């Protein structure tokens, strides 16, 4: 990763049944493109607990790895459903992830990444429309 700080803004619109919620995270982090892959790294803090997020973008696949207050490794793949474990302080939840769209408009100077997907956990479907914006 370059030693240049980037502004990272994540806006995720979630829909569960008829309820819609918007979650926004803003952080200063690292961003780079190397060997055709984009790497985004940032840290957030909630209730004095830090979470590190590393996003790797590789063609039709995006990996979102979180560690800290929660731990998970989501693999968004346009070609298939994936499964992962969501580790929280209250226990582990098995999750199925169904990716609808990945729109990659990232350049070496920043840009946007849009992820549209559904999480299926404990019988509930959570629709997500996430946009990650990266700027200097």
């Amino acid at each position: 990763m370059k030693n240049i700080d980037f502004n990272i803004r994540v806006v995720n619109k979630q829909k569960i049944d008829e309820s819609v919620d918007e979650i926004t995270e803003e952080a200063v982090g690292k961003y780079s493109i190397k060997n055709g892959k984009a790497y985004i790294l940032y840290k957030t803090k909630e209730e004095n607990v830090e979470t590190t997020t590393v996003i790797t973008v590789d063609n039709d696949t995006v990996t979102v790895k979180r560690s800290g207050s929660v731990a998970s490794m989501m693999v968004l793949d346009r070609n298939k459903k994936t499964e992962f474990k969501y580790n929280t302080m209250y226990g582990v939840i098995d999750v199925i992830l169904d990716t609808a769209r990945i729109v990659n408009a990232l350049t070496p100077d920043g840009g946007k990444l849009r992820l549209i997907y559904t999480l299926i956990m404990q019988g509930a479907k959570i629709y997500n429309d996430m946009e990650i914006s990266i700027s200097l």
Side-chain angles (χ1 to χ4, degrees):
M1 299 254 169
K2 296 177 185 176
N3 275 339
I4 301 171
D5 288 335
F6 282 83
N7 295 308
I8 299 168
R9 185 169 199 263
V10 180
V11 178
N12 188 13
K13 295 175 186 161
Q14 289 187 328
K15 182 179 176 188
I16 305 169
D17 298 323
E18 297 305 314
S19 174
V20 178
D21 196 15
E22 185 171 290
I23 301 161
T24 302
E25 292 180 325
E26 293 183 339
V28 174
K30 303 295 181 192
Y31 166 71
S32 66
I33 295 179
K34 187 174 181 180
N35 298 325
K37 294 181 184 179
Y39 299 91
I40 305 162
L41 181 145
Y42 65 94
K43 295 180 180 186
T44 54
K45 200 172 206 177
E46 188 175 318
E47 297 179 17
N48 291 326
V49 180
E50 192 172 79
T51 300
T52 300
T53 302
V54 178
I55 301 170
T56 306
V57 183
D58 184 13
N59 295 320
D60 289 344
T61 305
V62 176
T63 303
V64 180
K65 183 178 181 183
R66 291 182 180 255
S67 59
S69 62
V70 296
S72 66
M73 190 160 93
M74 296 177 15
V75 178
L76 293 96
D77 187 325
R78 282 191 261 208
N79 301 312
K80 63 182 176 184
K81 288 182 182 180
T82 59
E83 296 181 25
F84 68 96
K85 295 197 180 297
Y86 186 58
N87 297 295
T88 71
M89 63 180 87
Y90 305 108
V92 178
I93 302 169
D94 291 319
V95 183
I96 297 170
L97 190 147
D98 188 5
T99 306
R101 278 181 76 196
I102 297 172
V103 181
N104 182 353
L106 296 172
T107 70
D109 297 321
K112 293 186 179 188
L113 176 66
R114 187 170 176 205
L115 308 170
I116 301 172
Y117 59 94
T118 302
L119 298 175
I120 304 162
M121 59 176 99
Q122 299 176 335
K125 288 186 177 183
I126 304 168
Y127 300 95
N128 293 268
D129 186 346
M130 179 186 294
E131 185 171 89
I132 303 163
S133 303
I134 300 166
S135 61
L136 285 171

